[in-house]
Amino acid sequence: ILNVEQSPQSLHVQEGDSTNFTCSFPSSNFYALHWYRWETAKSPEALFVMTLNGDEKKKGRISATLNTKEGYSYLYIKGSQPEDSATYLCAWGRAGRRALTFGSGTRLQVQP
Amino acid sequence: NAGVTQTPKFQVLKTGQSMTLQCAQDMNHEYMSWYRQDPGMGLRLIHYSVGAGITDQGEVPNGYNVSRSTTEDFPLRLLSAAPSQTSVYFCASSYSRAGQDITQPQHFGDGTRLSIL
């Protein structure tokens, strides 16, 4: 099983700070990269699915970029709010296999 | 619109018992999958299905069986529960277009918390 790595494991920021996390994945046979937001006591919710090198996606204050050649994706949160506190998961899909491999997530806590 | 429904929400078993975790979706999704979530390990894929009658193994399939007789349902069976299977189990589904399953966002159920003594 090829690994998907996320960093940092956890992050504490103050309300209003902007922050970013990294998802690293194998660059060969890339097919798709997903980002999910997972709040405590809830189920993961999809944020973005990206398939093309250079893709950029935006949803409100959250955006993501994708570099398939070097095998990384960044998730950015602008002006963090306490309601952004959650674990952010990325998942990688490779060509030829109809399944996703998830990273272990970045846990974000935003202090008011 | 219920989405993905998992039952039960909680279950305690004794070692050696068997049970079935139920998963149903009402979105007419072809692709369904089962994950387990353990501390520090993210979500690990157990089994998945790309349509009725078709299943395949994920990263951690040992000790689990699945079948897919209908589009809506994808039950996960523990044949002989072991303490190592104590975990939170998530079922997910996604739209499948011309086999492009993994380019579609997954919709998750609320999870089943399973403890095996």
Side-chain angles (χ1 to χ4, degrees), chain A residues 1 9 31-34 36 38 41-46 49 51 89 92-95 97-105, chain B residues 31 35 37 40-45 48 50 56-59 90 96 99-111:
Chain A
I1 302 297
Q9 277 190 314
Y31 204 71
L33 193 285
H34 295 221
Y36 293 84
W38 192 359
K42 294 187 178 180
S43 53
E45 290 184 358
V49 179
T51 57
L89 296 172
W92 164 74
R94 66 177 171 90
R97 182 157 169 79
R98 298 167 75 172
L100 293 172
T101 300
F102 278 82
S104 55
Chain B
Y31 189 89
Y35 296 90
Q37 191 259 325
M41 301 191 76
L43 293 169
R44 290 186 293 167
L45 182 65
Y48 66 98
V50 299
D56 205 349
Q57 294 182 350
E59 301 171 49
F90 286 95
S96 178
Q100 306 290 309
D101 320 286
I102 60 172
T103 65
Q104 303 300 312
Q106 298 217 9
H107 300 259
F108 285 85
D110 290 336

Side-chain angles (χ1 to χ4, degrees), chain B residues 13-20 61-66 76-82 85:
Chain B
L13 292 177
K14 293 182 180 177
T15 297
Q17 287 185 312
S18 62
M19 82 160 292
T20 299
N62 293 340
Y64 307 95
N65 272 2
V66 291
L76 179 73
R77 296 183 188 84
L78 279 71
L79 305 174
S80 177
Q85 294 178 304

Side-chain angles (χ1 to χ4, degrees), chain B residues 17-78:
Chain B
Q17 287 185 312
S18 62
M19 82 160 292
T20 299
L21 279 63
Q22 301 291 344
C23 176
Q25 53 87 14
D26 61 359
M27 296 174 281
N28 202 30
H29 285 169
E30 292 291 331
Y31 189 89
M32 296 185 74
S33 51
W34 276 102
Y35 296 90
R36 59 178 289 174
Q37 191 259 325
D38 301 296
M41 301 191 76
L43 293 169
R44 290 186 293 167
L45 182 65
I46 304 171
H47 286 285
Y48 66 98
S49 169
V50 299
I54 306 170
T55 63
D56 205 349
Q57 294 182 350
E59 301 171 49
V60 288
N62 293 340
Y64 307 95
N65 272 2
V66 291
S67 59
R68 184 94 180 270
S69 55
T70 67
T71 299
E72 294 77 22
D73 300 298
F74 191 40
L76 179 73
R77 296 183 188 84
L78 279 71

Side-chain angles (χ1 to χ4, degrees), chain A residues 31-101:
Chain A
Y31 204 71
L33 193 285
H34 295 221
W35 281 101
Y36 293 84
R37 169 192 164 90
W38 192 359
E39 292 181 72
T40 303
K42 294 187 178 180
S43 53
E45 290 184 358
L47 287 171
F48 308 114
V49 179
M50 295 182 286
T51 57
L52 298 175
N53 184 46
D55 257 355
E56 294 187 19
K57 300 272 187 178
K58 187 174 181 182
K59 189 174 185 177
R61 294 178 291 99
I62 304 177
S63 59
T65 61
L66 178 66
N67 183 325
T68 62
K69 296 187 186 306
E70 296 182 41
Y72 65 85
S73 175
Y74 294 140
L75 188 79
Y76 301 91
I77 302 179
K78 184 178 178 181
S80 302
Q81 299 297 309
E83 56 265 32
D84 294 328
S85 297
T87 295
Y88 291 84
L89 296 172
C90 70
W92 164 74
R94 66 177 171 90
R97 182 157 169 79
R98 298 167 75 172
L100 293 172
T101 300

